[in-house]
Amino acid sequence: SSGINAEYGECLILDEDIGMLQKAKEKIQKGKINVMSSYKSAQTRRWAYWAIVTSSLYFMVGNSSQSLWKDLEHDKKKRYNGYVIGVTGLLSSFSSWILTRYSRSVERTKASVLALLTLLLGLTTLIPTLLQNLYLAYICDAVFNIVTSSCMTIALFKIAHSLTTNLYGFVVGVNACVAGTLDLLVTFIVIDERVLSFNPRQQYWVYTGFAVVCVLLYFSYKSVTLARRRDEVDPPRSRAVSFAGDDPVDVRQNQLAGFVGEECSASGVVDVDQPLH
């Protein structure tokens, strides 16, 4: 009897293991479906795009700002790098807090607003290199960080509202990975001696170009999408062609004759003497 009980206990344990494996397999398959469908939403793709663009610009400029400030400074006694970084961090946090307080306004924010803000980011990276003023570079860096923080807050808020809770971390992680990869590629191309080997000011020109190109890509994609939707909703209709010299009455009679012919053909009756009205 003890042997039978032992075998029965082993069978129960084996059944429990098989059941746990099946449940785990079902969860994995369900997770794969959820992961694959996380980017099917147009809203998720749209805001994930801007999250990637904003994060990439933040990494690029953050890695080069100190080099630009050193290149622009003329008196080491008037260096305020640490103060600028500290104040900028506080202002960025305050801007994010303001956006969270007015969440209804954030909900109504369109992606085109982030496109305009991205152009502003490109402008803040272009002005210091053109005017070559350290204090102006400080101000532009503060504006850049505040706008970047605001854009990320809006983008993450929109992504969170378009996804379920368990997929939010995955999408944000993928966005951060793509943004880091873009930063790595652009930084390598710009800095490495075997490629471009730009100085800090020239690097900022590249960052400005990156922002402009991203905005142009977005508006190009949006224009194509709107054109496709317009064709689907209102497809082009056949129109009667009126040649020069045709009488409008004759054209109208030809249209009515064609309509009557189609009706008669559909009903199986052809009445040649049927008058036109």
Side-chain angles (χ1 to χ4, degrees):
S1 60
S2 60
I4 294 175
N5 291 332
E7 292 179 0
Y8 180 73
E10 291 178 358
C11 291
L12 288 177
I13 294 174
L14 183 60
D15 291 339
E16 291 178 357
D17 293 340
I18 293 175
M20 292 177 61
L21 290 175
Q22 290 178 349
K23 290 181 180 179
K25 185 177 180 180
E26 292 176 357
K27 289 183 178 180
I28 291 173
Q29 291 177 351
K30 186 178 180 180
K32 287 182 179 180
I33 295 174
N34 290 334
V35 167
M36 295 300 294
S37 63
S38 58
Y39 282 96
K40 287 185 178 180
S41 172
Q43 182 178 357
T44 303
R45 293 196 303 268
R46 185 187 308 119
W47 295 105
Y49 174 79
W50 287 118
I52 292 171
V53 171
T54 306
S55 299
S56 301
L57 282 171
Y58 178 78
F59 294 149
M60 295 174 191
V61 175
N63 294 333
S64 305
S65 59
Q66 295 283 350
S67 300
L68 179 67
W69 295 346
K70 184 177 180 180
D71 189 52
L72 293 177
E73 71 179 13
H74 300 288
D75 188 359
K76 293 184 178 180
K77 295 182 179 180
K78 297 182 179 180
R79 183 188 300 171
Y80 304 102
N81 298 5
Y83 297 103
V84 172
I85 293 174
V87 172
T88 299
L90 292 175
L91 293 176
S92 300
S93 301
F94 182 73
S95 65
S96 299
W97 179 78
I98 290 293
L99 290 174
T100 56
R101 295 284 295 177
Y102 296 94
S103 57
R104 292 184 179 179
S105 300
V106 176
E107 290 179 0
R108 294 192 295 266
T109 303
K110 303 296 183 181
S112 302
V113 176
L114 264 69
L116 297 177
L117 291 177
T118 304
L119 287 178
L120 178 60
L121 294 179
L123 187 64
T124 57
T125 58
L126 180 64
I127 291 177
T129 59
L130 294 178
L131 301 181
Q132 299 182 10
N133 185 278
L134 178 61
Y135 301 108
L136 186 59
Y138 286 155
I139 297 173
C140 289
D141 185 77
V143 174
F144 176 87
N145 282 278
I146 293 171
V147 175
T148 301
S149 178
S150 302
C151 290
M152 285 300 300
T153 302
I154 296 172
L156 294 179
F157 180 89
K158 291 287 189 176
I159 292 174
H161 275 253
S162 64
L163 293 172
T164 58
T165 306
N166 57 337
L167 291 178
Y168 175 77
F170 171 78
V171 172
V172 172
V174 171
N175 296 343
C177 181
V178 175
T181 303
L182 283 175
D183 170 53
L184 177 63
L185 291 175
V186 174
T187 303
F188 174 78
I189 293 172
V190 169
I191 295 178
D192 194 86
E193 296 179 355
R194 295 168 293 182
V195 191
L196 296 179
S197 186
F198 282 168
N199 59 45
R201 300 180 188 179
Q202 294 172 333
Q203 293 172 22
Y204 267 61
W205 296 344
V206 175
Y207 304 152
T208 302
F210 177 83
V212 173
V213 168
C214 290
V215 172
L216 292 178
L217 287 176
Y218 169 74
F219 280 117
S220 300
Y221 174 78
K222 186 175 182 180
S223 301
V224 173
T225 304
L226 290 176
R228 290 179 179 177
R229 290 179 180 176
R230 190 177 303 168
D231 292 338
E232 292 176 358
V233 174
D234 188 15
R237 301 174 181 176
S238 58
R239 300 177 180 176
V241 180
S242 177
F243 297 97
D246 287 346
D247 187 16
V249 177
D250 296 336
V251 174
R252 180 60 179 168
Q253 289 180 351
N254 292 334
Q255 293 176 349
L256 291 174
F259 175 77
V260 172
E262 291 177 358
E263 291 292 328
C264 294
S265 300
S267 60
V269 178
V270 178
D271 189 359
V272 180
D273 298 329
Q274 183 176 357
L276 298 177
H277 299 288

